[in-house]
Amino acid sequence: MTKYQIRGGNQLHGTIEISGAKNAAVAIIPAALMVDGVCRIENVPQISDVTLILKILRELGANVQTVNRTTIDIDCSHIRNRQVPYELARKIRASYYLVGALLGRFGWAEVPLPGGCYLGGRPIDQHIKGFVAMGAEVDVRNGLIYAQVPGGGRPAGGQVYLDMVSVGATINIMLCAALANGMTVIENAAKEPHIVDLANFLNSMGADIMGAGTDVIKIRGVSRLRGGSYSVIPDQIEAGTYMAAVAAAGGEVLIKNVIPKHLDCITAKLVEMGVDVEELDDAVFVRRSGPLHRVNVKTMPYPGFPTDMQPQIAAVLCTAQGTSVLTESVWENRYRYVEEFRRMGARIQVDGKVAVIEGVDRLTGAPVQACDLRAGAAMVIAGLSAQGVTEISSIEHIERGYETLVEKLAGAGADIRVLSVPDKEVQPQVG
Ligand code: UD1
């Protein structure tokens, strides 16, 4: 078993380069399943969620070739197996995009219910509502999602009004609709950067999608998608995580390969806290030298403050002057990390969707456990600013979404390393 060991207190200096966006890559790779020909995908992050989704595609018969560290060729012209392997699919949230992709291309899909971080209930009723509006019959039983167009053939276009803004449902419906017979309209659609990225990918392969990035997306189904090449956008949340790390640890870092516009919601809060953020063409320069001020943060769908940055901003606010209030309005259970932060001396009270953080002068290092991807990243941030040594276990959660996190932070002066711990030293969990 491996852990991260962080000796806190070093300021960060230098440059950190951001990888391709996890949430865009895990939507674009399943979308390649709908393409008749070779898709060259560039700027693919090397993270375990990507490895998993590629493994699933290979099991379905896709030919996946690595061109270089960040570029892959995927050819799904000869898919032979349409049954998605259960044990692989249940490990990752994005496996449910295979429902939209397979249903759109073949009119039939059988996909295990997905996994992913536990953030409270993660229903898929809006995805199903979309598929049904396109003429499919959908049934969930025995841990599987069965979707089929009765009588065979492809789905029809449909009109879908989402009851809540859902990233996953918007993506899944858009995938299915790209090859449907007719026009699909998604109203109250999500507007996250990776939704626009997926639409751009599909359009570059011959799809006809308009309005991605607004709350009404219109998709005119086409008969075929052809191969081409496409580069994934930079990861908004990875960039935000390193911006938060500089805010917590202090120092000055150039964060490169970003789209500054996507970071506006994060930048605005950091500036309010007293951090300097300078936007350049494809980089942001982040500097924190003085004290951090308290702020209130409420998570919202894009362009609001991202829920996937909530634990990381909480880590920064632990040492801000004054009392900050966090309101989580996307997920019902996203404060599981608070217990771990308390081990480091944080003063946080949680009541339902609200967390009240009373800033302390210094956190203190402690052994903590990453309970999910972004909570794990937040523990890294807390460890960087803490006095003493923090050891973070269950780092497999972090490695689902951050490419070479240790190297990137160590390159900017952090004292962080991967520690191998013999399994016999791992204490059994009680209770
Ligand atoms: C995606 C992201 C995740 C992020 C979330 C919100 C990926 C792979 N994951 O997750 O990191 O935290 O967006 O930005 O891109 N809902 C329903 N019914 C549905 C679908 C969603 O009630 O059918 C609810 C959810 O319970 C949640 C809210 O809608 O409360 C938003 O969920 P959604 O945007 O769908 O999140 P994901 O796509 O799962």
Side-chain angles (χ1 to χ4, degrees), residues 23 96 121-127 164 166-168 308 330-331:
N23 287 348
Y96 63 6
R122 296 186 78 167
I124 56 164
D125 55 302
Q126 301 302 304
H127 304 235
M164 76 283 301
S166 161
V167 171
D308 286 356
V330 178
W331 297 112

Side-chain angles (χ1 to χ4, degrees), residues 364-378:
T364 47
V368 289
Q369 188 174 12
C371 46
D372 62 53
L373 167 60
R374 306 304 171 184

Side-chain angles (χ1 to χ4, degrees), residues 22-24 26-27 49 92-97 114-115 117 119-129 162-171 190 192 194-195 236-237 300-302 305-309 328-332 334 353 373-374 400:
K22 164 188 169 282
N23 287 348
V26 298
D49 267 16
I92 175 175
R93 193 80 205 150
S95 57
Y96 63 6
Y97 296 147
C117 291
L119 309 170
R122 296 186 78 167
I124 56 164
D125 55 302
Q126 301 302 304
H127 304 235
I128 294 174
K129 176 170 147 176
L162 296 178
D163 295 341
M164 76 283 301
V165 178
S166 161
V167 171
T170 303
I171 288 179
E192 268 67 5
H194 52 289
I195 298 217
Q236 174 207 29
I237 304 299
M300 309 272 274
Y302 190 81
F305 188 88
T307 173
D308 286 356
M309 277 297 300
E328 172 57 53
S329 69
V330 178
W331 297 112
E332 63 187 28
R334 203 164 196 171
K353 294 192 159 194
L373 167 60
R374 306 304 171 184
R400 285 187 37 223

Side-chain angles (χ1 to χ4, degrees), residues 19-22 25 43-47 50-51 69-70 232 235 401 403:
S19 304
K22 164 188 169 282
N43 204 29
V44 178
Q46 284 194 318
I47 51 176
V50 163
T51 309
R69 203 180 63 80
T70 56
V232 176
D235 198 308
E403 180 181 302

Side-chain angles (χ1 to χ4, degrees), residues 137-291:
E137 283 177 356
V138 185
D139 195 10
V140 179
R141 61 188 142 86
N142 310 116
L144 297 166
I145 309 163
Y146 295 90
Q148 189 169 13
V149 177
R154 288 191 180 167
Q159 186 91 18
V160 190
Y161 187 96
L162 296 178
D163 295 341
M164 76 283 301
V165 178
S166 161
V167 171
T170 303
I171 288 179
N172 233 339
I173 297 165
M174 192 157 76
L175 286 169
C176 185
L179 285 176
N181 291 316
M183 174 78 106
T184 299
V185 181
I186 310 173
E187 290 184 80
N188 199 25
K191 298 181 273 211
E192 268 67 5
H194 52 289
I195 298 217
V196 179
D197 207 36
L198 175 67
N200 288 342
F201 166 80
L202 289 166
N203 282 344
S204 72
M205 304 288 146
D208 187 355
I209 302 174
M210 293 155 291
T214 74
D215 48 20
V216 181
I217 304 180
K218 293 185 178 162
I219 307 128
R220 195 185 304 276
V222 296
S223 59
R224 176 174 176 262
L225 297 177
R226 52 176 151 67
S229 66
Y230 191 79
S231 183
V232 176
I233 51 166
D235 198 308
Q236 174 207 29
I237 304 299
E238 188 198 11
T241 300
Y242 291 121
M243 293 168 80
V246 180
E252 45 182 57
V253 175
L254 182 69
I255 299 176
K256 279 171 58 174
N257 185 29
V258 302
I259 298 174
K261 178 84 197 136
H262 293 168
L263 301 174
D264 280 353
C265 36
I266 301 163
T267 299
K269 277 296 150 191
L270 291 176
V271 168
E272 213 180 312
M273 291 167 73
V275 179
D276 292 331
V277 182
E278 190 185 339
E279 289 189 3
L280 307 166
D281 283 348
D282 62 351
V284 284
F285 184 68
V286 184
R287 179 174 41 223
R288 202 273 284 176
S289 45

